Amino acid sequence: MDDVMVPLFSSVVANGSSGSIPSGVVNCSRDNVLKTTVFPVLYSFLFLVGIPLNGLAVWVFFSIPSRSHFIIYLKNIVVADVVMTLTFPFKILSDANLASEGVRLFVCRVSSVLFYLTMYISILFFGLISVDRCRKTLSPFVGTNAARLRRRKLMAAAIWASLLALSVPNMALSSRAPASARFKCSDLKTEFGLRWHEIVNHVCQVIFWGNLVTVVVCYTLITKELYSSYARTRAGGGGGGQQQQTRVGTMRGPPGGGGTGGRKKTVRLNVFLVLAVFFVCFVPFHFARVPYTMSQTRGRLFDCRQKLVFFQLKESTLWLSSLNSLLDPLIYFFLCKSFRTTLFNTLRLAPGRCRKLRELGTDTNVKSVRQGESSSGPL
């Protein structure tokens, strides 16, 4: 999807079929070992590990009632992850130059569009999760109700419908027949298809940068509240300190205070798991995309070797974005107690087993709200 915004530069300046390079000519072909071997191996790893992980996540999640905003958002992310993971085999075959013409056409017209669709679906729901965590940090005693849950479900459906409305034309407007066996995805686009793709590219940029600002602001507020709560706890002590611990989502320790410090540390680390996954997976790609796009739109400013470097940087960070499908199950496990409990029940683990893992996370049930906690944990 990103590669077809404008016609690509001619990357093969030597005789690609024979491998001979004329004297004094630099080989800028993208068909090097990184593209044809390294990335296919890396994506194969993501596919082989991601399919069972996300399959298990689907199985567990869809036996959990959607009783909190958090669970609704996570269910949408797991669907996006499954769809993204299913696009990997087509990218593997295409990058390794093992795909038939029909598969390459499918990659250009369908699977690459689905890949980017699910990426931005995940980015949007990461932003919503950050807002939800922030809200429950600052106002932990505000619960939820059926009307609010219904609105969140409608909002989730609207997000999918909106991005599908942007993406489907990218598939339909790639209707040209390939002129040769060495076609590029941009060769399949109609004139309006190229313009539409450019519009979609700008919308995706707005989605990312808007959500980046949202995530940074929310976790700045969360960090500030956690630090303030820690300071109040140390200064107040006794009952006041215990009350503030409940405010930021720390659970009461056993009588005498044993284990409270370890619990607080675990919860606070969990709080920043969403932030870590967002920055590892999505930020590098969108920063690398800026010089890559410039190398495509302002090609005269860059020689072919620089363009090749930007392409490889973009592809490397794109793999990090794909890694999101493997890291998201960590969020499900460590931040959603309902997921964790259902998983252990599904695996039929005895109540005494994995007790520490069962106690991790911050998601609580509705009953906890009446005891002074939020419906899905303040964080």
Side-chain angles (χ1 to χ4, degrees), residues 166-306:
L166 286 172
S167 301
V168 169
N170 267 328
M171 303 179 188
L173 296 172
S174 298
S175 56
R176 287 182 174 175
S180 68
R182 297 182 63 84
F183 66 88
K184 304 183 293 290
C185 288
S186 58
D187 296 335
L188 307 178
K189 294 282 186 183
T190 64
E191 183 178 350
F192 181 68
L194 289 172
R195 293 179 182 176
W196 181 262
H197 183 85
E198 188 172 358
I199 293 172
V200 173
N201 183 67
H202 292 316
V203 172
C204 290
Q205 291 287 355
V206 171
I207 289 173
F208 169 74
W209 293 104
N211 279 273
L212 176 62
V213 171
T214 299
V215 169
V216 170
V217 170
C218 287
Y219 278 92
T220 299
L221 294 174
I222 288 172
T223 303
K224 182 179 178 180
E225 177 61 24
L226 287 174
Y227 179 78
S228 297
S229 176
Y230 175 75
R232 290 191 298 266
T233 301
R234 292 200 36 122
Q242 186 67 56
Q243 182 179 1
Q244 294 302 330
Q245 288 180 17
T246 303
R247 174 177 172 79
V248 298
T250 54
M251 303 293 290
R252 289 181 175 84
T260 302
R263 173 66 184 174
K264 278 200 306 185
K265 182 177 180 181
T266 300
V267 170
R268 289 177 180 177
L269 289 176
N270 288 348
V271 169
F272 296 99
L273 185 58
V274 172
L275 180 68
V277 171
F278 187 90
F279 269 80
V280 167
C281 294
F282 301 126
V283 172
F285 169 71
H286 286 87
F287 275 93
R289 192 176 185 178
V290 173
Y292 172 75
T293 300
M294 289 181 62
S295 73
Q296 301 299 289
T297 57
R298 303 177 185 180
R300 294 181 180 180
L301 300 179
F302 306 91
D303 61 36
C304 79
R305 184 176 294 175
Q306 290 173 320

Side-chain angles (χ1 to χ4, degrees), residues 76-95:
N76 282 274
I77 288 178
V78 75
V79 172
D81 286 344
V82 169
V83 176
M84 176 182 279
T85 304
L86 292 176
T87 68
F88 292 161
F90 303 103
K91 182 171 177 59
I92 292 166
L93 292 174
S94 180
D95 286 352

Side-chain angles (χ1 to χ4, degrees), residues 111-173:
S111 76
S112 64
V113 177
L114 290 176
F115 177 91
Y116 283 95
L117 165 70
T118 53
M119 178 196 296
Y120 288 99
I121 289 282
S122 295
I123 288 173
L124 280 167
F125 281 103
F126 265 80
L128 291 172
I129 286 173
S130 300
V131 172
D132 183 66
R133 302 298 87 184
C134 183
R135 179 181 65 85
K136 291 192 174 179
T137 301
L138 303 179
S139 303
F141 305 120
V142 177
T144 188
N145 55 45
R148 289 176 179 171
L149 292 176
R150 186 165 53 251
R151 286 197 293 268
R152 293 306 182 277
K153 292 176 182 178
L154 290 174
M155 181 177 63
I159 288 173
W160 279 92
S162 299
L163 288 187
L164 279 170
L166 286 172
S167 301
V168 169
N170 267 328
M171 303 179 188
L173 296 172

Side-chain angles (χ1 to χ4, degrees), residues 36-68:
T36 61
T37 303
V38 175
F39 286 133
V41 169
L42 291 175
Y43 278 102
S44 296
F45 168 76
L46 291 185
F47 178 73
L48 293 174
V49 179
I51 281 293
L53 276 181
N54 286 294
L56 179 62
V58 170
W59 184 25
V60 171
F61 254 129
F62 287 89
S63 62
I64 300 175
S66 299
R67 293 177 179 170
S68 73

Side-chain angles (χ1 to χ4, degrees), residues 306-375:
Q306 290 173 320
K307 292 179 180 180
L308 180 60
V309 169
F310 290 143
F311 168 76
Q312 292 174 337
L313 181 62
K314 188 267 294 184
E315 285 294 309
S316 300
T317 53
L318 186 64
W319 183 82
L320 287 178
S321 295
S322 307
L323 185 62
N324 171 66
S325 63
L326 216 61
L327 296 180
D328 283 344
L330 293 177
I331 295 176
Y332 312 150
F333 187 84
F334 286 105
L335 288 188
C336 185
K337 186 177 181 180
S338 301
F339 177 86
R340 204 164 47 254
T341 301
T342 304
L343 174 63
F344 288 137
N345 290 340
T346 301
L347 297 178
R348 300 189 179 186
L349 294 178
R353 292 186 180 181
C354 304
R355 180 171 297 172
K356 290 185 179 180
L357 290 178
R358 288 176 181 269
E359 294 173 352
L360 287 174
T362 56
D363 189 40
T364 58
N365 54 35
V366 177
K367 183 178 179 181
S368 300
V369 178
R370 301 190 181 103
Q371 299 172 344
E373 297 172 334
S374 63
S375 62

